[in-house]
Every structure is written in structure tokens, then in C-alpha cells.
Amino acid sequence: IERVLFAATKADHIHHSSHDRLAAVMSHLVGRALSRAQGAGARVEAMALAAVRATHEVRIREGRDELPAIAGVPEAGETIDGQVFDG
């Protein structure tokens, strides 16, 4: 084995500014396996990724602060606050 990738999936469920932290948590969780693979000469990486993007990034006001956040994408036919979405 020449390359090993440890992937934290569903990264679209957190703001992009936290992807590096998610990858760091993944590296910590698989630390022993990561070390063994590197010791055997494999190129190893841990990253955050999403196969499908089911959210979009937004900014929310909290008092005078503006905070990074994510919002889900409504499904076709879903009604939110009286508005019907087409998906």
C-alpha cells in the first residue's frame, strides 16, 4: 500500500472554517493506524470531505456579533414558515 487516506465524511455539516479541526480529530482518532501506515512507508493523510453538499454556509447575527453557521437545503415540497420549496 502506497497511500492511505483517513476521511471524516459529512464535512458539509460544519462550517468550512472548522474543517481543519475535524481533520485533526480524525488524525487523533486513527493515530495508531496512521503511525503504522507511515512506518510501513505509505503516504498518509487525514481530511474532511463531503460526497454530497446538503447544506450551505450562512452568517447569523447574535447581538452585535456575526457568527459563521450552516443551513440545510430544503427538500422538494418541504414547507418552512409558509413557503413551499422546490428542492
Short mmCIF file of all heavy atoms in Angstrom, two decimals, residues 24-78:
data_model
loop_
_atom_site.label_atom_id
_atom_site.label_comp_id
_atom_site.label_asym_id
_atom_site.label_seq_id
_atom_site.Cartn_x
_atom_site.Cartn_y
_atom_site.Cartn_z
N ALA A 24 -8.10 17.20 12.20
CA ALA A 24 -7.22 16.96 13.35
C ALA A 24 -7.82 15.93 14.30
O ALA A 24 -7.12 15.05 14.82
CB ALA A 24 -6.95 18.26 14.09
N VAL A 25 -9.14 16.00 14.52
CA VAL A 25 -9.81 15.00 15.36
C VAL A 25 -9.68 13.63 14.71
O VAL A 25 -9.39 12.63 15.38
CB VAL A 25 -11.29 15.37 15.58
CG1 VAL A 25 -12.07 14.23 16.19
CG2 VAL A 25 -11.40 16.61 16.46
N MET A 26 -9.89 13.57 13.39
CA MET A 26 -9.76 12.30 12.68
C MET A 26 -8.35 11.74 12.84
O MET A 26 -8.17 10.56 13.13
CB MET A 26 -10.08 12.49 11.19
CG MET A 26 -9.75 11.29 10.31
SD MET A 26 -10.63 9.78 10.72
CE MET A 26 -12.24 10.20 10.16
N SER A 27 -7.34 12.57 12.69
CA SER A 27 -5.95 12.12 12.85
C SER A 27 -5.71 11.58 14.25
O SER A 27 -5.03 10.57 14.42
CB SER A 27 -4.98 13.27 12.59
OG SER A 27 -5.01 13.64 11.25
N HIS A 28 -6.27 12.24 15.24
CA HIS A 28 -6.11 11.78 16.62
C HIS A 28 -6.79 10.43 16.84
O HIS A 28 -6.23 9.53 17.48
CB HIS A 28 -6.67 12.82 17.59
CG HIS A 28 -6.53 12.45 19.02
ND1 HIS A 28 -5.30 12.46 19.66
CD2 HIS A 28 -7.43 12.02 19.93
CE1 HIS A 28 -5.47 12.06 20.91
NE2 HIS A 28 -6.76 11.80 21.10
N LEU A 29 -8.00 10.27 16.29
CA LEU A 29 -8.75 9.02 16.47
C LEU A 29 -8.05 7.82 15.84
O LEU A 29 -8.12 6.71 16.36
CB LEU A 29 -10.15 9.15 15.89
CG LEU A 29 -11.12 10.06 16.65
CD1 LEU A 29 -12.40 10.24 15.85
CD2 LEU A 29 -11.43 9.47 18.01
N VAL A 30 -7.40 8.04 14.72
CA VAL A 30 -6.76 6.94 14.00
C VAL A 30 -5.24 6.99 14.15
O VAL A 30 -4.52 6.41 13.34
CB VAL A 30 -7.16 6.94 12.50
CG1 VAL A 30 -8.65 6.76 12.34
CG2 VAL A 30 -6.69 8.20 11.80
N GLY A 31 -4.77 7.65 15.20
CA GLY A 31 -3.34 7.89 15.40
C GLY A 31 -2.46 6.66 15.28
O GLY A 31 -1.44 6.69 14.60
N ARG A 32 -2.85 5.57 15.94
CA ARG A 32 -2.00 4.35 15.89
C ARG A 32 -1.93 3.79 14.48
O ARG A 32 -0.86 3.43 13.99
CB ARG A 32 -2.55 3.30 16.85
CG ARG A 32 -2.07 3.50 18.26
CD ARG A 32 -2.47 2.42 19.21
NE ARG A 32 -2.53 1.08 18.64
CZ ARG A 32 -3.22 0.09 19.18
NH1 ARG A 32 -3.92 0.28 20.28
NH2 ARG A 32 -3.22 -1.10 18.63
N ALA A 33 -3.08 3.70 13.81
CA ALA A 33 -3.10 3.17 12.44
C ALA A 33 -2.32 4.08 11.51
O ALA A 33 -1.60 3.60 10.62
CB ALA A 33 -4.54 3.01 11.96
N LEU A 34 -2.44 5.38 11.72
CA LEU A 34 -1.72 6.35 10.91
C LEU A 34 -0.21 6.16 11.06
O LEU A 34 0.53 6.10 10.08
CB LEU A 34 -2.14 7.76 11.33
CG LEU A 34 -1.77 8.90 10.42
CD1 LEU A 34 -2.91 9.91 10.38
CD2 LEU A 34 -0.52 9.58 10.89
N SER A 35 0.24 6.01 12.30
CA SER A 35 1.67 5.80 12.56
C SER A 35 2.18 4.51 11.94
O SER A 35 3.28 4.47 11.37
CB SER A 35 1.93 5.79 14.06
OG SER A 35 1.66 7.04 14.62
N ARG A 36 1.39 3.45 12.05
CA ARG A 36 1.80 2.15 11.47
C ARG A 36 1.91 2.24 9.96
O ARG A 36 2.85 1.72 9.35
CB ARG A 36 0.83 1.06 11.87
CG ARG A 36 0.99 0.66 13.32
CD ARG A 36 0.29 -0.62 13.74
NE ARG A 36 -0.63 -1.20 12.78
CZ ARG A 36 -1.89 -1.51 13.03
NH1 ARG A 36 -2.42 -1.27 14.20
NH2 ARG A 36 -2.64 -2.06 12.11
N ALA A 37 0.95 2.91 9.32
CA ALA A 37 0.99 3.05 7.87
C ALA A 37 2.19 3.87 7.43
O ALA A 37 2.87 3.53 6.46
CB ALA A 37 -0.31 3.67 7.36
N GLN A 38 2.47 4.97 8.16
CA GLN A 38 3.63 5.78 7.84
C GLN A 38 4.91 4.98 8.05
O GLN A 38 5.85 5.08 7.26
CB GLN A 38 3.67 7.05 8.70
CG GLN A 38 2.69 8.10 8.26
CD GLN A 38 2.69 9.30 9.18
OE1 GLN A 38 2.89 9.17 10.39
NE2 GLN A 38 2.44 10.47 8.61
N GLY A 39 4.96 4.19 9.12
CA GLY A 39 6.13 3.36 9.40
C GLY A 39 6.39 2.33 8.33
O GLY A 39 7.53 1.92 8.12
N ALA A 40 5.34 1.92 7.66
CA ALA A 40 5.47 0.95 6.57
C ALA A 40 5.80 1.62 5.25
O ALA A 40 5.93 0.96 4.22
CB ALA A 40 4.19 0.13 6.44
N GLY A 41 5.92 2.96 5.26
CA GLY A 41 6.33 3.67 4.06
C GLY A 41 5.19 4.25 3.24
O GLY A 41 5.42 4.79 2.16
N ALA A 42 3.96 4.16 3.72
CA ALA A 42 2.84 4.70 2.97
C ALA A 42 2.74 6.21 3.17
O ALA A 42 3.07 6.72 4.23
CB ALA A 42 1.54 4.04 3.41
N ARG A 43 2.28 6.89 2.15
CA ARG A 43 1.97 8.31 2.27
C ARG A 43 0.57 8.40 2.90
O ARG A 43 -0.38 7.82 2.39
CB ARG A 43 1.98 8.97 0.90
CG ARG A 43 2.11 10.48 0.98
CD ARG A 43 2.39 11.07 -0.37
NE ARG A 43 1.13 11.65 -0.84
CZ ARG A 43 0.82 11.84 -2.09
NH1 ARG A 43 1.64 11.47 -3.05
NH2 ARG A 43 -0.32 12.39 -2.43
N VAL A 44 0.45 9.10 4.01
CA VAL A 44 -0.80 9.11 4.78
C VAL A 44 -1.34 10.53 4.92
O VAL A 44 -0.58 11.48 5.10
CB VAL A 44 -0.57 8.51 6.19
CG1 VAL A 44 -1.85 8.49 6.99
CG2 VAL A 44 0.01 7.11 6.08
N GLU A 45 -2.67 10.66 4.83
CA GLU A 45 -3.31 11.96 5.00
C GLU A 45 -4.67 11.76 5.66
O GLU A 45 -5.33 10.75 5.47
CB GLU A 45 -3.49 12.65 3.65
CG GLU A 45 -3.96 14.07 3.76
CD GLU A 45 -3.96 14.79 2.42
OE1 GLU A 45 -3.39 14.29 1.45
OE2 GLU A 45 -4.57 15.88 2.37
N ALA A 46 -5.08 12.74 6.45
CA ALA A 46 -6.42 12.78 7.02
C ALA A 46 -7.07 14.07 6.55
O ALA A 46 -6.43 15.12 6.52
CB ALA A 46 -6.36 12.75 8.54
N MET A 47 -8.33 13.99 6.14
CA MET A 47 -9.01 15.19 5.66
C MET A 47 -10.50 15.12 5.91
O MET A 47 -11.04 14.04 6.18
CB MET A 47 -8.75 15.41 4.16
CG MET A 47 -9.41 14.40 3.27
SD MET A 47 -9.36 14.76 1.48
CE MET A 47 -7.80 15.48 1.23
N ALA A 48 -11.14 16.27 5.82
CA ALA A 48 -12.59 16.37 5.93
C ALA A 48 -13.15 16.51 4.52
O ALA A 48 -12.62 17.26 3.71
CB ALA A 48 -12.95 17.59 6.77
N LEU A 49 -14.22 15.77 4.24
CA LEU A 49 -14.82 15.85 2.91
C LEU A 49 -16.30 15.52 2.96
O LEU A 49 -16.79 14.99 3.95
CB LEU A 49 -14.10 14.93 1.92
CG LEU A 49 -14.02 13.44 2.24
CD1 LEU A 49 -15.24 12.71 1.72
CD2 LEU A 49 -12.78 12.86 1.59
N ALA A 50 -17.00 15.85 1.89
CA ALA A 50 -18.42 15.53 1.76
C ALA A 50 -18.68 15.08 0.34
O ALA A 50 -18.28 15.74 -0.61
CB ALA A 50 -19.27 16.74 2.10
N ALA A 51 -19.34 13.94 0.19
CA ALA A 51 -19.65 13.44 -1.14
C ALA A 51 -20.79 14.24 -1.77
O ALA A 51 -20.82 14.46 -2.98
CB ALA A 51 -20.04 11.96 -1.07
N VAL A 52 -21.72 14.68 -0.94
CA VAL A 52 -22.86 15.47 -1.39
C VAL A 52 -22.98 16.68 -0.49
O VAL A 52 -22.88 16.56 0.73
CB VAL A 52 -24.16 14.64 -1.32
CG1 VAL A 52 -25.37 15.48 -1.67
CG2 VAL A 52 -24.07 13.41 -2.20
N ARG A 53 -23.19 17.81 -1.07
CA ARG A 53 -23.37 19.02 -0.25
C ARG A 53 -24.86 19.20 0.04
O ARG A 53 -25.64 19.50 -0.84
CB ARG A 53 -22.81 20.25 -0.97
CG ARG A 53 -22.89 21.47 -0.09
CD ARG A 53 -22.01 22.59 -0.62
NE ARG A 53 -21.93 23.59 0.40
CZ ARG A 53 -20.88 23.80 1.15
NH1 ARG A 53 -19.81 23.08 0.98
NH2 ARG A 53 -20.89 24.73 2.08
N ALA A 54 -25.22 19.01 1.31
CA ALA A 54 -26.62 19.12 1.73
C ALA A 54 -26.87 20.38 2.55
O ALA A 54 -27.95 20.55 3.11
CB ALA A 54 -27.00 17.88 2.55
N THR A 55 -25.89 21.26 2.63
CA THR A 55 -26.01 22.50 3.40
C THR A 55 -25.37 23.64 2.63
O THR A 55 -24.68 23.41 1.64
CB THR A 55 -25.29 22.38 4.76
OG1 THR A 55 -23.90 22.14 4.53
CG2 THR A 55 -25.86 21.26 5.61
N HIS A 56 -25.58 24.85 3.11
CA HIS A 56 -24.84 26.00 2.59
C HIS A 56 -24.46 26.87 3.77
O HIS A 56 -25.08 26.83 4.83
CB HIS A 56 -25.63 26.77 1.52
CG HIS A 56 -26.90 27.38 2.00
ND1 HIS A 56 -28.09 26.68 2.07
CD2 HIS A 56 -27.18 28.63 2.46
CE1 HIS A 56 -29.03 27.47 2.54
NE2 HIS A 56 -28.51 28.66 2.79
N GLU A 57 -23.40 27.62 3.60
CA GLU A 57 -22.88 28.43 4.69
C GLU A 57 -23.62 29.76 4.76
O GLU A 57 -23.94 30.36 3.73
CB GLU A 57 -21.38 28.64 4.52
CG GLU A 57 -20.63 27.34 4.67
CD GLU A 57 -19.13 27.49 4.61
OE1 GLU A 57 -18.64 28.60 4.36
OE2 GLU A 57 -18.45 26.48 4.82
N VAL A 58 -23.90 30.18 5.99
CA VAL A 58 -24.58 31.44 6.23
C VAL A 58 -23.88 32.16 7.39
O VAL A 58 -23.00 31.59 8.04
CB VAL A 58 -26.08 31.23 6.58
CG1 VAL A 58 -26.83 30.63 5.41
CG2 VAL A 58 -26.24 30.35 7.81
N ARG A 59 -24.26 33.41 7.62
CA ARG A 59 -23.77 34.16 8.78
C ARG A 59 -24.99 34.57 9.58
O ARG A 59 -25.99 35.02 9.02
CB ARG A 59 -22.97 35.37 8.33
CG ARG A 59 -21.82 34.90 7.42
CD ARG A 59 -20.53 35.56 7.47
NE ARG A 59 -19.91 36.07 8.61
CZ ARG A 59 -18.93 35.46 9.28
NH1 ARG A 59 -18.56 34.26 8.93
NH2 ARG A 59 -18.33 36.05 10.27
N ILE A 60 -24.92 34.40 10.89
CA ILE A 60 -26.03 34.70 11.78
C ILE A 60 -25.64 35.84 12.70
O ILE A 60 -24.54 35.84 13.25
CB ILE A 60 -26.41 33.45 12.61
CG1 ILE A 60 -26.89 32.35 11.68
CG2 ILE A 60 -27.46 33.80 13.65
CD1 ILE A 60 -27.15 31.04 12.39
N ARG A 61 -26.55 36.78 12.87
CA ARG A 61 -26.30 37.88 13.81
C ARG A 61 -26.77 37.47 15.19
O ARG A 61 -27.88 37.00 15.38
CB ARG A 61 -27.06 39.12 13.38
CG ARG A 61 -26.39 39.88 12.31
CD ARG A 61 -26.91 41.31 12.25
NE ARG A 61 -26.43 41.97 11.08
CZ ARG A 61 -25.21 42.47 10.96
NH1 ARG A 61 -24.37 42.38 11.96
NH2 ARG A 61 -24.83 43.04 9.84
N GLU A 62 -25.90 37.68 16.16
CA GLU A 62 -26.19 37.45 17.58
C GLU A 62 -25.76 38.71 18.30
O GLU A 62 -24.57 38.91 18.57
CB GLU A 62 -25.42 36.22 18.09
CG GLU A 62 -25.67 35.88 19.53
CD GLU A 62 -27.07 35.35 19.79
OE1 GLU A 62 -27.62 34.66 18.90
OE2 GLU A 62 -27.61 35.62 20.86
N GLY A 63 -26.73 39.61 18.55
CA GLY A 63 -26.39 40.91 19.09
C GLY A 63 -25.59 41.70 18.06
O GLY A 63 -26.00 41.87 16.93
N ARG A 64 -24.38 42.13 18.45
CA ARG A 64 -23.51 42.84 17.51
C ARG A 64 -22.55 41.90 16.79
O ARG A 64 -21.82 42.32 15.90
CB ARG A 64 -22.71 43.91 18.25
CG ARG A 64 -23.57 45.11 18.59
CD ARG A 64 -22.72 46.27 19.01
NE ARG A 64 -22.73 46.37 20.46
CZ ARG A 64 -21.80 46.94 21.20
NH1 ARG A 64 -20.75 47.46 20.63
NH2 ARG A 64 -21.92 46.98 22.50
N ASP A 65 -22.54 40.64 17.20
CA ASP A 65 -21.63 39.66 16.58
C ASP A 65 -22.26 39.01 15.37
O ASP A 65 -23.48 38.84 15.29
CB ASP A 65 -21.27 38.56 17.59
CG ASP A 65 -20.50 39.09 18.77
OD1 ASP A 65 -19.72 40.06 18.59
OD2 ASP A 65 -20.67 38.55 19.88
N GLU A 66 -21.41 38.64 14.42
CA GLU A 66 -21.84 37.87 13.27
C GLU A 66 -21.10 36.55 13.31
O GLU A 66 -19.88 36.52 13.34
CB GLU A 66 -21.54 38.64 11.97
CG GLU A 66 -22.29 38.09 10.79
CD GLU A 66 -22.16 38.99 9.59
OE1 GLU A 66 -22.85 40.02 9.54
OE2 GLU A 66 -21.35 38.64 8.71
N LEU A 67 -21.85 35.46 13.34
CA LEU A 67 -21.27 34.14 13.54
C LEU A 67 -21.38 33.28 12.28
O LEU A 67 -22.41 33.31 11.60
CB LEU A 67 -21.98 33.43 14.69
CG LEU A 67 -22.06 34.21 16.01
CD1 LEU A 67 -22.99 33.51 16.97
CD2 LEU A 67 -20.68 34.37 16.60
N PRO A 68 -20.35 32.48 11.97
CA PRO A 68 -20.46 31.54 10.85
C PRO A 68 -21.36 30.38 11.23
O PRO A 68 -21.34 29.91 12.37
CB PRO A 68 -19.02 31.07 10.63
CG PRO A 68 -18.36 31.25 11.96
CD PRO A 68 -19.04 32.41 12.62
N ALA A 69 -22.19 29.94 10.29
CA ALA A 69 -23.12 28.84 10.55
C ALA A 69 -23.41 28.11 9.24
O ALA A 69 -22.93 28.51 8.17
CB ALA A 69 -24.41 29.38 11.16
N ILE A 70 -24.19 27.06 9.34
CA ILE A 70 -24.64 26.35 8.15
C ILE A 70 -26.16 26.26 8.19
O ILE A 70 -26.76 26.31 9.25
CB ILE A 70 -24.03 24.92 8.03
CG1 ILE A 70 -24.38 24.09 9.25
CG2 ILE A 70 -22.54 24.99 7.81
CD1 ILE A 70 -24.17 22.63 9.06
N ALA A 71 -26.76 26.12 7.02
CA ALA A 71 -28.21 25.97 6.91
C ALA A 71 -28.47 24.81 5.96
O ALA A 71 -27.77 24.63 4.96
CB ALA A 71 -28.84 27.24 6.37
N GLY A 72 -29.45 24.01 6.29
CA GLY A 72 -29.81 22.87 5.44
C GLY A 72 -30.49 23.32 4.16
O GLY A 72 -30.98 24.44 4.04
N VAL A 73 -30.52 22.45 3.19
CA VAL A 73 -31.19 22.71 1.92
C VAL A 73 -32.55 22.01 2.00
O VAL A 73 -32.62 20.80 2.19
CB VAL A 73 -30.36 22.16 0.74
CG1 VAL A 73 -31.10 22.36 -0.57
CG2 VAL A 73 -28.99 22.81 0.71
N PRO A 74 -33.65 22.77 1.88
CA PRO A 74 -34.98 22.16 1.97
C PRO A 74 -35.22 21.14 0.85
O PRO A 74 -34.74 21.31 -0.27
CB PRO A 74 -35.94 23.33 1.82
CG PRO A 74 -35.12 24.55 2.06
CD PRO A 74 -33.72 24.20 1.68
N GLU A 75 -35.96 20.08 1.18
CA GLU A 75 -36.32 19.09 0.18
C GLU A 75 -37.48 19.60 -0.66
O GLU A 75 -38.23 20.47 -0.23
CB GLU A 75 -36.72 17.78 0.88
CG GLU A 75 -35.58 17.09 1.57
CD GLU A 75 -35.99 15.76 2.16
OE1 GLU A 75 -37.10 15.28 1.86
OE2 GLU A 75 -35.19 15.19 2.91
N ALA A 76 -37.64 19.02 -1.83
CA ALA A 76 -38.75 19.41 -2.70
C ALA A 76 -40.07 19.16 -1.98
O ALA A 76 -40.29 18.10 -1.39
CB ALA A 76 -38.71 18.61 -4.00
N GLY A 77 -40.94 20.18 -1.98
CA GLY A 77 -42.24 20.06 -1.34
C GLY A 77 -42.24 20.41 0.14
O GLY A 77 -43.30 20.50 0.75
N GLU A 78 -41.06 20.63 0.73
CA GLU A 78 -40.98 20.97 2.16
C GLU A 78 -41.50 22.40 2.37
O GLU A 78 -41.22 23.30 1.59
CB GLU A 78 -39.54 20.86 2.63
CG GLU A 78 -39.37 21.07 4.11
CD GLU A 78 -37.94 20.79 4.58
OE1 GLU A 78 -37.11 20.29 3.81
OE2 GLU A 78 -37.67 21.10 5.75
#
